[in-house]
Amino acid sequence: MRAPELSCPICQADIPLSGDEKPGDEIFCTYCGAPCVIQGKVDSPASWEAEEDF
């Protein structure tokens, strides 16, 4: 399965995923460095969104 494309909620930059992430995982924007958490349904990667984690 291909990893979904997420956007940073702070700077709107694309956040590349390696493919093994799942909802609840913390990720970081490669552009601004903002910490984010993946939100959405485990079985529906199309519903995933990055939410800021401050």
Side-chain angles (χ1 to χ4, degrees):
M1 180 183 348
R2 195 182 132 168
E5 295 180 8
L6 300 180
S7 295
C8 175
I10 305 300
C11 70
Q12 313 316 297
D14 291 336
I15 301 175
L17 300 177
S18 63
D20 61 349
E21 293 88 352
K22 59 189 178 306
D25 286 352
E26 183 175 48
I27 57 175
F28 295 89
C29 176
T30 55
Y31 186 74
C32 73
C36 304
V37 174
I38 299 174
Q39 299 293 325
K41 296 180 181 179
V42 173
D43 59 348
S44 181
S47 72
W48 292 6
E49 293 183 355
E51 183 176 293
E52 61 186 89
D53 185 32
F54 290 109

